[in-house]
Amino acid sequence: MKIQKLLLPLLALLCAATIHAQPMAKRQPLLLASLFTDHMVLQRELPVPVWGTATPGATVTVTFDKLSDSTIADRDGNWLLRLPPLKAGGPFELVVVAGGETRLLLHDVLVGDVWICSGQSNMEFPVSAARNAKKEIANANYPTIRLFTVRHAVSLIPERAVNGQWVACTPETVAGFSAMSYFFARDLQPKIRVPIGLIQTCWPGTVIEAWTEEAALHAESEFAPILARIPPELGHTLFTPLHENTPSVLYNAMIHPLIPFAMRGVLWSQGSANADRAYQYRLLFPNLIRSWRQAWGEGDFSFLFVQLPNYMARRATPTDSAWAELREAQAMAMALPNTGMAVTIDIGEAFNLHPKNKQDIGLRLARAAEAVAYHLPTVASGPRYRAMKVEGQTIRLAFESVGAGLVAKDNAKLKGFAIAGSDRQFLWAQAKIDGESVVVWNDALQRPVAVRYAWADNPECNFFNANGLPASPFRTDDWPGLTINAR
């Protein structure tokens, strides 16, 4: 008994020491995900994820307008909750409280539609360099259009944060922002009458695989040569800086941190950097669209993209073209649901990869959005090839999206059509509009088998619908082109 009485105090001291030795939850500041700042736009009509970090185990409460919800930060301090679908409007305040003490307050928050604007240099091309820039900047007073620019960054691992700040669209803030995205929002807003948020995340000269999640690049054996370019370990970057065209590094640093921010859809302008592998783009592009949709978990959100413009020297005779093949690969992505394409074959510049007319691109993207995202009655595109039929020495082409009718721009003769026989040698062709079809021929060719339209780097072409939208370049054949074996 005496021994027990002596041991009890010692045991108590040991227990106390053990308790104090247990690691305590480290108190850390309450932080919101990097996209959540003053002047932001939250997506309407969808559950709205709100997330961040706090002290592990802390109760976090988010209040927005008259809505409130709570969750508990996990053992690493991460938390996420989803507000119920919101109606368009604002401005509102968003309040976040952790542990009943720490408090964050965001001001001037709007609810409307959010669009992520990504790709390479023509997406990043700023309003300050666009056609009529001074006038456009001076008139850019749209307080319910909000802009967020993601700074350039690369990473071999998926990141959680980006650098940026939401700002209202004014002459002082719009000059350096994506021109085609701004013109898209400016032209779309009067039709939908809600705030619009634009998130610019792009990098000039980049290939599509840099914007693709590494796991998605394992989806096709075709992509094995691409995966081989990923450095085998993170230590590689200590002495060798990552290049922006390393597979997945832009997805990791400039797309992954945006997920799962609720949004309406994506605007995408990219492709010239992959033109030498255009045939492979037939798989790469839809693979990116599907993987982004899967990552966001919002279903088949709208994905609108810009087809490559006319560019480089004009050829005197019909020839193969890697740029034409890339345009074809882009158009093939229209087979996916809720996609739309802005054709720009008429507004490029022969010796300028960055044409200044971003106004028409923005307008055409807005028309695509009206049809795809908002289901408004509109003609969203120019004529699209549907089928062909050989009729003696002529080939008759049928089209969809004829709108108010098929026309040759400025009432001139149709240009840009070429025709071939079984020898696969194309000749320039005559063409005429016949109702909702086009008849094509060349008097020197007795047995035609195929037609191509605007199939060149910089074609001379003028086929439109009466709604002012150009036909997308196309071909009726599937003969191997320049890039079929390029990997």
Side-chain angles (χ1 to χ4, degrees):
M1 288 291 293
K2 291 182 178 179
I3 295 174
Q4 287 179 333
K5 287 181 179 179
L6 289 171
L7 287 175
L8 283 173
L10 290 173
L11 289 171
L13 287 171
L14 286 171
C15 289
T18 302
I19 292 171
H20 287 296
Q22 294 292 332
M24 298 183 64
K26 184 179 180 181
R27 188 169 185 84
Q28 58 188 59
L30 173 64
L31 296 173
L32 274 166
S34 52
L35 276 172
F36 291 82
T37 77
D38 291 339
H39 316 300
M40 69 185 301
V41 178
L42 295 178
Q43 178 60 46
R44 62 173 172 152
E45 299 172 352
L46 288 174
V48 177
V50 183
W51 71 98
T53 57
T55 300
T59 298
V60 180
T61 301
V62 176
T63 303
F64 184 76
D65 193 21
K66 299 176 182 178
L67 301 171
S68 185
D69 198 3
S70 297
T71 189
I72 296 175
D74 67 17
R75 61 187 299 174
D76 296 316
N78 299 312
W79 59 269
L80 179 149
L81 57 76
R82 297 178 190 271
L83 298 174
L86 309 171
K87 292 183 178 180
F92 302 109
E93 290 185 340
L94 187 146
V95 182
V96 184
V97 177
E101 300 176 1
T102 311
R103 187 172 185 268
L104 293 177
L105 174 62
L106 300 186
H107 300 276
D108 187 27
V109 177
L110 302 180
V111 178
D113 285 344
V114 177
W115 289 86
I116 292 176
C117 313
S118 188
Q120 53 182 109
S121 53
N122 271 302
M123 178 59 79
E124 191 171 84
F125 189 91
V127 176
S128 61
R131 187 182 62 180
N132 302 323
K134 289 184 179 181
K135 181 179 178 181
E136 296 288 9
I137 292 170
N139 291 332
N141 284 299
Y142 294 94
T144 59
I145 294 176
R146 302 293 170 84
L147 315 174
F148 187 102
T149 301
V150 176
R151 296 178 188 171
H152 291 174
V154 295
S155 177
L156 276 178
I157 60 173
E159 299 291 348
R160 299 182 59 185
V162 293
N163 290 316
Q165 172 74 41
W166 286 96
V167 295
C169 178
T170 68
E172 291 72 35
T173 61
V174 79
F177 198 77
S178 165
M180 68 171 69
S181 302
Y182 162 66
F183 294 130
F184 161 83
R186 182 193 67 181
D187 292 336
L188 178 63
Q189 194 173 56
K191 301 291 182 65
I192 62 174
R193 298 181 180 180
V194 301
I196 295 178
L198 301 174
I199 300 174
Q200 173 187 316
T201 179
C202 39
W203 193 315
T206 50
V207 293
I208 193 170
E209 56 264 35
W211 297 100
T212 305
E213 184 182 11
E214 182 178 346
L217 291 173
H218 288 275
E220 300 278 352
S221 59
E222 175 86 10
F223 302 154
I226 293 173
L227 288 165
R229 304 203 318 267
I230 299 177
E233 57 186 21
L234 186 61
H236 239 68
T237 64
L238 294 178
F239 304 103
T240 305
L242 278 177
H243 191 276
E244 62 269 21
N245 277 332
T246 302
S248 304
V249 296
L250 301 183
Y251 174 86
N252 290 337
M254 299 178 66
I255 298 297
H256 185 268
L258 311 182
I259 302 168
F261 195 79
M263 49 85 170
R264 175 64 65 193
V266 168
L267 305 182
W268 176 259
S269 178
Q270 189 278 336
S272 61
N274 284 88
D276 60 345
R277 293 180 283 123
Y279 195 84
Q280 188 184 54
Y281 203 83
R282 294 179 177 196
L283 294 176
L284 282 167
F285 189 25
N287 182 67
L288 175 136
I289 296 172
R290 286 191 295 263
S291 67
W292 283 22
R293 286 173 169 174
Q294 182 178 3
W296 252 274
E298 284 188 8
D300 292 335
F301 56 71
S302 298
F303 200 104
L304 313 178
F305 53 94
V306 181
Q307 195 178 44
L308 288 184
N310 49 306
Y311 176 57
M312 296 181 282
R314 184 163 288 170
R315 301 296 183 90
T317 57
T319 59
D320 283 325
S321 162
W323 272 53
E325 292 174 26
L326 196 286
R327 294 187 195 105
E328 179 183 54
Q330 291 174 313
M332 286 179 170
M334 294 277 284
L336 294 177
N338 297 328
T339 52
M341 182 174 72
V343 177
T344 63
I345 199 65
D346 60 317
I347 54 179
E349 299 177 22
F351 303 107
N352 184 2
L353 183 59
H354 308 108
K356 293 181 176 294
N357 181 2
K358 295 297 188 283
Q359 288 88 339
D360 280 336
I361 299 176
L363 177 61
R364 292 171 188 180
L365 285 170
R367 287 193 179 185
E370 290 169 29
V372 174
Y374 303 102
H375 310 293
L376 299 175
T378 187
V379 177
S381 74
R384 293 199 301 268
Y385 168 71
R386 182 169 58 82
M388 65 161 277
K389 181 181 180 182
V390 177
E391 297 178 345
Q393 289 184 241
T394 69
I395 292 180
R396 181 178 295 272
L397 306 171
F399 297 89
E400 54 190 25
S401 193
V402 298
L406 304 178
V407 300
K409 190 174 182 180
D410 300 326
N411 295 316
K413 289 183 178 182
L414 284 177
K415 301 174 182 178
F417 288 87
I419 196 167
S422 58
D423 63 357
R424 303 186 179 186
Q425 301 300 306
F426 280 90
L427 306 169
W428 292 125
Q430 294 178 272
K432 68 176 182 180
I433 294 169
D434 184 15
E436 294 190 354
S437 62
V438 172
V439 179
V440 185
W441 74 96
N442 182 301
D443 290 334
L445 188 61
Q446 300 300 310
R447 294 183 178 84
V449 299
V451 168
R452 293 179 176 180
Y453 170 72
W455 195 263
D457 300 333
N458 184 14
E460 184 178 14
C461 53
N462 64 346
F463 181 35
F464 282 66
N465 59 23
N467 305 83
L469 295 172
S472 176
F474 66 89
R475 60 174 174 163
T476 66
D477 65 275
D478 60 357
W479 299 333
L482 296 174
T483 68
I484 190 167
N485 295 316
R487 299 295 181 271

